[in-house]
Amino acid sequence: MDCTSCDTVPPRPDRPHTFIAHAQDTCPTCALAGEARVVLRDGKVVHLLRCTTCGPQEREVHANAQTWMQEFLAKGVVPAGLVGDHLFKHTTSTCPKCLALVKADVVIRKDRVFFLKDCVRCGPSEALVSEDASYYVKAYSFARAGTQPLIFRNTAEHGCPTDCGTCDDHEQHTCLPIVEVTDHCNLECPICIVDNNYSKHMEPATFQKIVDGLVEAEGVCETIALSGGEPTSHPQILELLKIACRPEIGRVVLITNGIRLGKDRELAQALKEMGIYIGLQLDGFTAEVHTKIRGKDLVKEKEAALQMIEELDLPTQLIFVATRGVNDHQIGQVVELFLSKPQFLSLNFQPVAYTGHGGGTFVHDPNDRLTIPGVIRHIDAQTGGKVGYTDFFPLPCSHPQCVSLTYLLRLDDGTSVPFARFVDFEKHATLLRSSATLPATPEVEDALADVIHEVFARQDEIERGPEILAALRRCLDEMFPQKPLSARDQFRASERQSKSIFLHHYMDRHDFDLERLRKCCHHYPQIDGKIMPACGFNMFHRGAAKGPETPRAKFGRAPFSLPVIT
Amino acid sequence: MSALCAGRVAFVTGGSRGLGRAICKTLAREGAFVAFNYLKHDEDAAATVAAIEAAGGRASAHKVSVLDKPGLTELAKSLDKLHGKIDILVNNAGYGQVVPLALMEESDWDEMLDTHVKGAFLSTQAVLRTMVREKYGRIVNVGSLAGIKMMQAPVHYATAKAALKGFTESLAKEVGRYGITVNCVAPGILDEGVSDHLPPGRKEEYLRHCAARRVGKLSEAADMIAFIASERASYTNGATLVVDGAV
């Protein structure tokens, strides 16, 4: 399933199967043990293996995909009275000490999900991967077939994760390319997930080639994000942004800590005129929180950035890195702020990943950390149920354990109602997309028609039913007017209708899951044309998975160290 | 074979007289509970109910205009509350008026279009909620041969009936996914109802072109409507079915 609203010309083809999970198997030819992709294809269940001796192999393991799926989900039900761990499945993770790929038992323990690993060199380890086993198991039922790029930059040879770039075994195209345009930064964040060396700003000509390569691979992109380092540290940042503003790209997002934005009106005005979206890191509201997470008191700087955003009406995504015991008590506050201003289109919670220059060494307990369900519980509790636990659903675009989201419909009085209060998302999976807003596609129009009729039929039972119907009428009028709209105007029209709250859990050495990487759709495009799935890049290529000076994997490739595309 | 509409709940607009009464009686005979609305004629409405009950059927009459949106909404809600559903809607309310375009007042035009077209829209909107919820419905719009073929018919009447054909086809596409069918039954000249007011010679002209060599009976149109409103017509959708003896 394509996850963007892009009007793809030519269209990106769907994958020929629906990728579900990884499983242990043996090569059908030589019986060598290996890890298989479990896929649903033509109503059957097939294991796809890449045998190091025999090459690509496959084996049908079940004749009825629906039955198999039911049986698979049933494995996640803990037998009554069981004491101890319940084994749900297996996957491949990493040893948190030596970063070697190791088999992981995925077990349910007291309604939570853990990886149990045993590295031959370093010994056993455990890691919490989800604070809600029911959510974790059910998430697999949301899996949908991915879409592949027009061009793969690599061919699968050794198997995941060594062939990244992406290879033709990868299960999703690039939904969100994040280009790191500089390794300079004006902060030293204790939770930084990259590894700034203060050595390079990307040349505009290089960035141009990266963007050209992206468009070549994707056809069109809903969004491109410029990151760093701190991208506003780049002396030619406006030139780069101008390069990214092209018809094939719907939104250009500048991910920033907001320090320069809050005090440089000239820059902010230029961003406004170029139609740039802001991705503002906002992890809290107090000096203590900022100091613990970002290394210094940023209260005034964040307030200045927020004021500039409001004054210039800059469309903005708020990004909140949630850390247990540090800023999780301010989750509700950021939700309330997000709901209060029309400039805030989406709110992205990222349960902290303990990787990178800062994050790799940030004090933490891998068995007691925030995961997606934990953040959602805080949202529910701290907003008094305004946005509730059951309003969120796994996003089928990426691996369903990676992202959870809810859309909130904007009512005519400016307040918002979560779509889940009046939409059955399990039925209308089309509405669960990766974009920050509902895209104006024929599929969404069709799904909206269903939603409208269902609300129409039950308007007396649904809280604020008539107001929701009026808002849905506005959605139709503005998103699907009786005149052609450019892709950019479609985005603008969509953005006026709804907001979204995302939770994206990037992986680290504790909870790394190879099957999640397999369908990753947040990618770092590189200067050699490779498009690297984010968590794989952070784990094996950046050289900071455990903090500074972490040895790279043998196949690792450092950022900025590669030849320019020719 | 069991009755066509056994256990169903029907709402018929304009059910007190003429073809409307025949539709009500036929649907009741076929097992439906029939609710109908009317505008003016209390005695006729009571007579329709009495006739149905005398034949062992069940019916209720409701004095509310098809242009009264709140009244229709309340009526639909009360029927839904009482019966738990509304399975069948027959948009029948209408009237004939013989007047050439040259003499037609704007109010003539508006009243004709409002009663036939806006009335069908408002009645359908009031009832559709329960049909979508129940994933079942039969909507039958009473059109006319005058809305399909070039005939000597008043322009505003022909326009209104033609509009119902478009209403039928578009709505059928829109709500078909909920198990709701929308069809139009277009009678030719029938022996009662609007044909009572035809100018001299118009009926004879019709008969000259009609293979059946006679006008139709109200019951012949009503029987077709009852069939289209039944579960058995499950694959007939968006259609206009002509009941004219082959003109």
Side-chain angles (χ1 to χ4, degrees), chain A residues 35-50:
Chain A
E35 189 169 49
R37 274 179 289 163
V38 185
V39 303
L40 311 185
R41 192 177 68 196
D42 301 328
K44 297 173 181 173
V45 184
V46 178
H47 278 190
L48 304 177
L49 295 100
R50 185 164 296 281

Side-chain angles (χ1 to χ4, degrees), chain A residues 289-322:
Chain A
V289 164
H290 288 305
T291 304
K292 284 184 178 171
I293 291 184
R294 298 294 169 189
K296 61 189 284 192
D297 175 7
L298 294 170
V299 170
K300 286 182 181 168
E301 286 82 353
K302 297 294 179 183
E303 283 175 356
L306 291 168
Q307 190 175 345
M308 189 71 81
I309 284 167
E310 190 173 352
E311 276 181 30
L312 297 188
D313 193 24
L314 297 171
T316 297
Q317 177 183 67
L318 299 176
I319 303 166
F320 188 105
V321 178

Side-chain angles (χ1 to χ4, degrees), chain A residues 440 445 473-486 489-490 493-494 496-497:
Chain A
E445 185 179 18
R473 166 69 193 266
R474 185 200 66 228
C475 288
L476 281 185
D477 288 347
E478 295 187 15
M479 289 172 65
F480 306 98
Q482 301 303 309
K483 61 179 182 182
L485 288 182
S486 68
D489 286 342
Q490 280 187 12
S494 298
R496 289 192 291 272
Q497 315 311 323

Side-chain angles (χ1 to χ4, degrees), chain A residues 263-334:
Chain A
K263 60 187 180 189
D264 188 344
R265 180 171 286 272
E266 196 177 335
L267 170 70
Q269 190 63 45
L271 298 176
K272 168 79 174 173
E273 286 164 10
M274 293 170 72
I276 303 301
Y277 291 69
I278 308 299
L280 179 70
Q281 290 166 350
L282 183 69
D283 318 297
F285 300 90
T286 56
E288 185 188 8
V289 164
H290 288 305
T291 304
K292 284 184 178 171
I293 291 184
R294 298 294 169 189
K296 61 189 284 192
D297 175 7
L298 294 170
V299 170
K300 286 182 181 168
E301 286 82 353
K302 297 294 179 183
E303 283 175 356
L306 291 168
Q307 190 175 345
M308 189 71 81
I309 284 167
E310 190 173 352
E311 276 181 30
L312 297 188
D313 193 24
L314 297 171
T316 297
Q317 177 183 67
L318 299 176
I319 303 166
F320 188 105
V321 178
T323 312
R324 174 157 339 271
V326 177
N327 63 349
D328 47 359
H329 60 295
Q330 295 180 357
I331 283 173
Q333 195 175 346
V334 77

